[in-house]
């Protein structure tokens, strides 16, 4: 049975980073030591884990109202995120000012009736999570973007923490657990990121012909190849896959 307290590799890494302050792997043999991994997931391959990393300390948004600690009973109803947005020239915090980059991030992102500083803080929290993850395990940091456990990373990085752009670029070439077909597929060699003992994968060609399949009962990272003939790639319990030759 999946342990809900340990769901998500990013949760494991953030917990380790905060509690142990920098435990490290032997960088000479990435296959010999398994990366921190989430609890075993079920057989479903419908998509990435929905678990998100826990909150981490943030730098705070300019002019933030400080209402983030309000209970659900006291909080006002959330504005409609799909409704009209506050015009860029009206994006001002209660106190202080937004920088040019902050305004660029907030443009077309703040629903009318919402405090822009609160929206900005979510972006800053995304950057803070990436800061923690990349120090603990760079591949997990990239994997957390691939799976969406660190949401909306591309937008936050583009405007608020551009130093992490390389993570976003690498994540665009990876695969989360699930089924991938058609133009999503890029032939090449990939390595799993923080697989569970239930990690399994399968590649199929035209007509459903099985090109390759396997599992990783040990929970250790494994390498697979997606041939050019691959039409479907399915993965479950492996968290994420990144191309070989990345910078980790």
């Amino acid at each position: 049975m999946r342990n809900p307290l340990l769901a998500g590799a990013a949760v494991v890494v953030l917990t380790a980073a905060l509690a142990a302050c920098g435990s490290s792997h032997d960088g000479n043999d990435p296959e010999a030591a398994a990366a921190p991994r989430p609890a075993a997931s079920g057989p479903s391959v419908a998509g990435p884990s929905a678990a998100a990393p826990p909150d981490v300390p943030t730098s705070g948004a300019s002019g933030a109202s400080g209402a983030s600690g309000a209970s659900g009973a006291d909080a006002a109803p959330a504005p409609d995120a799909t409704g009209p947005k506050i015009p860029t020239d009206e994006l001002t915090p209660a106190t202080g000012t937004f920088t040019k980059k902050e305004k660029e991030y907030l443009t077309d992102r703040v629903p009318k009736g919402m405090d822009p500083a609160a929206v900005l803080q979510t972006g800053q929290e995304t950057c803070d999570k990436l800061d923690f993850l990349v120090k603990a395990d760079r591949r997990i940091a990239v994997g957390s973007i691939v799976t969406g456990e660190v949401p909306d990373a591309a937008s936050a990085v583009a405007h608020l923490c551009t130093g992490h752009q390389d993570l976003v670029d690498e994540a665009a070439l990876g695969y989360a657990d699930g089924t991938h077909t058609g133009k999503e597929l890029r032939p090449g060699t990939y390595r799993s990121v923080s697989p569970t003992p239930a990690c399994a994968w399968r590649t199929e060609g035209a007509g459903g012909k099985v090109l390759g399949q396997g599992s990783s009962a040990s929970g250790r990272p494994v390498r697979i190849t997606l041939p050019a003939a691959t039409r479907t790639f399915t993965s479950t319990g492996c968290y994420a896959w990144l191309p070989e030759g990345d910078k980790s």
Side-chain angles (χ1 to χ4, degrees):
M1 179 181 293
R2 184 173 182 176
N3 185 340
L5 296 180
L6 296 179
V11 173
V12 177
V13 175
L14 279 170
T15 302
L18 292 171
C21 294
S23 72
S24 60
H25 303 298
D26 181 358
N28 295 324
D29 187 2
E31 300 287 41
R37 59 178 180 265
S41 60
S44 171
V45 294
S49 167
D55 291 339
V56 294
T58 65
S59 57
S62 301
S65 64
S68 59
S71 67
D74 298 330
D80 181 3
T82 63
K85 304 298 190 295
I86 298 177
T88 302
D89 57 1
E90 295 180 15
L91 291 171
T92 56
T95 59
T97 59
F98 291 130
T99 67
K100 179 180 178 181
K101 286 292 185 181
E102 289 171 343
K103 270 203 170 184
E104 289 175 354
Y105 173 75
L106 291 171
T107 297
D108 295 326
R109 191 177 295 273
V110 186
K112 287 191 175 181
M114 178 176 281
D115 180 2
V119 176
L120 177 60
Q121 184 164 337
T122 64
Q124 291 174 324
E125 288 172 350
T126 293
C127 291
D128 290 340
K129 289 173 184 177
L130 290 177
D131 287 342
F132 271 93
L133 288 170
V134 77
K135 290 175 183 176
D137 189 315
R138 190 177 187 283
R139 288 181 65 83
I140 292 292
V142 178
S144 72
I145 299 174
V146 173
T147 63
E149 287 193 334
V150 175
D152 199 29
S155 296
V157 167
H159 301 292
L160 305 177
C161 48
T162 56
H164 290 319
Q165 186 60 50
D166 58 329
L167 304 181
V168 173
D169 293 343
E170 290 175 31
L173 302 176
Y175 298 99
D177 276 340
T179 298
H180 306 274
T181 60
K183 294 181 180 180
E184 289 183 84
L185 299 173
R186 293 172 293 276
T189 303
Y190 294 81
R191 183 152 60 100
S192 58
V193 178
S194 193
T196 75
C199 173
W201 66 91
R202 180 186 181 99
T203 56
E204 298 177 358
K209 179 182 178 181
V210 177
L211 303 178
Q213 59 185 336
S215 60
S216 177
S218 67
R220 293 177 180 273
V222 293
R223 290 182 175 89
I224 64 171
T225 298
L226 298 186
T230 303
R231 297 294 179 268
T232 302
F233 169 47
T234 304
S235 166
T236 182
C238 304
Y239 187 59
W241 299 86
L242 296 179
E244 283 286 77
D246 69 311
K247 299 177 182 179
S248 59

